[in-house]
Amino acid sequence: EAGVAQSPRYKIIEKRQSVAFWCNPISGHATLYWYQQILGQGPKLLIQFQNNGVVDDSQLPKDRFSAERLKGVDSTLKIQPAKLEDSAVYLCASSSRGIRGTHEQYFGPGTRLTVT
Amino acid sequence: TQLLEQSPQFLSIQEGENLTVYCNSSSVFSSLQWYRQEPGEGPVLLVTVVTGGEVKKLKRLTFQFGDARKDSSLHITAAQPGDTGLYLCAGPAGTALIFGKGTTLSVSS
């Protein structure tokens, strides 16, 4: 079974530029998550999708971050304009469980973003 | 707000030593998970504990969930260089997860 795929793996941009990350979850997984992991910290949830609907985006800085999950499969996360403090690893995860019950999340390798 | 505090933050040991890392909270969790993350990779689930007082073993790793379901520990026996990585505990927050800051473990041969 293929895992969660993310691209690009690395990205370096200047502040105020825009950037987009792509995620392809495990086939059949209805729930998709985007996390931000700043160096030295644990992952922090940015947004959660159930199929193509948003379940939780309360910690997404909506003035600069946006995400979509068209057709309930692939997802893109965009930052525009980027700030220095956005430098982090952006992790995508997927889960087969619905919004109730315990669940195991499978993580992709992440995209390491450096904003200069 | 639910928080998970992990300690120690960093641990550097020699091969063959034993170690314990801790995950504590002031909140009760219905379950806790432990993940290991290697450099350049995403976290990988090691175990989920769901019952207060539960002990689970995974080869040389022993996980315990506190009786009050507010804390958990991970004990590694005879650590090996392959155990090197970031160990994260996580608990459910709604239908997502909140993570501790992790313990970075370095095992040298």
Side-chain angles (χ1 to χ4, degrees):
Chain A
E1 179 181 77
V4 177
Q6 290 189 246
S7 67
R9 293 295 309 275
Y10 306 92
K11 190 73 177 179
I12 300 174
I13 61 172
E14 295 181 352
K15 59 184 179 184
R16 291 186 290 274
Q17 286 186 325
S18 62
V19 64
F21 313 126
W22 173 82
C23 172
N24 179 239
I26 293 174
S27 178
H29 280 194
T31 311
L32 185 147
Y33 311 82
W34 283 101
Y35 289 87
Q36 180 192 58
Q37 186 175 24
I38 293 173
L39 186 64
Q41 298 185 20
K44 183 187 81 170
L45 180 71
L46 291 175
I47 188 167
Q48 177 186 349
F49 292 94
Q50 178 76 9
N51 296 310
N52 61 348
V54 175
V55 174
D56 182 357
D57 64 356
S58 58
Q59 298 193 77
L60 187 73
K62 299 181 187 63
D63 58 333
R64 298 184 300 106
F65 287 65
S66 65
E68 60 181 7
R69 191 182 184 197
L70 298 175
K71 301 180 181 178
V73 182
D74 293 4
S75 178
T76 56
L77 176 69
K78 297 179 181 178
I79 307 175
Q80 181 179 13
K83 292 185 175 181
L84 295 176
E85 58 262 35
D86 298 332
S87 294
V89 175
Y90 290 85
L91 294 164
C92 178
S94 69
S95 172
S96 61
R97 291 295 189 100
I99 60 174
R100 291 182 173 82
T102 60
H103 52 277
E104 176 177 352
Q105 295 186 20
Y106 296 85
F107 285 82
T111 297
R112 180 175 296 277
L113 174 67
T114 302
V115 183
T116 63
Chain B
T1 302
Q2 293 177 307
L3 289 174
L4 288 167
E5 303 282 346
Q6 290 190 243
S7 62
Q9 187 176 357
F10 299 98
L11 195 53
S12 182
I13 61 172
Q14 295 289 318
E15 182 176 5
E17 292 184 27
N18 301 331
L19 67 115
T20 303
V21 298
Y22 301 91
C23 175
N24 296 288
S25 177
S26 58
S27 303
V28 175
F29 283 89
S30 58
S31 63
L32 281 179
Q33 297 180 332
W34 285 91
Y35 289 78
R36 181 168 68 205
Q37 184 176 21
E38 299 186 16
E41 300 296 330
V44 175
L45 180 66
L46 296 174
V47 77
T48 301
V49 286
V50 297
T51 305
E54 181 177 6
V55 176
K56 281 191 173 180
K57 292 190 176 184
L58 183 65
K59 297 183 181 178
R60 294 176 293 100
L61 279 60
T62 301
F63 304 85
Q64 186 164 5
F65 199 12
D67 291 341
R69 290 185 287 127
K70 291 183 177 181
D71 57 88
S72 181
S73 63
L74 159 60
H75 181 80
I76 301 179
T77 303
Q80 299 177 359
D83 296 327
T84 293
L86 176 66
Y87 289 82
L88 295 158
C89 67
T95 54
L97 290 172
I98 60 167
F99 285 83
K101 290 187 176 182
T103 293
T104 299
L105 172 64
S106 175
V107 183
S108 53
S109 56

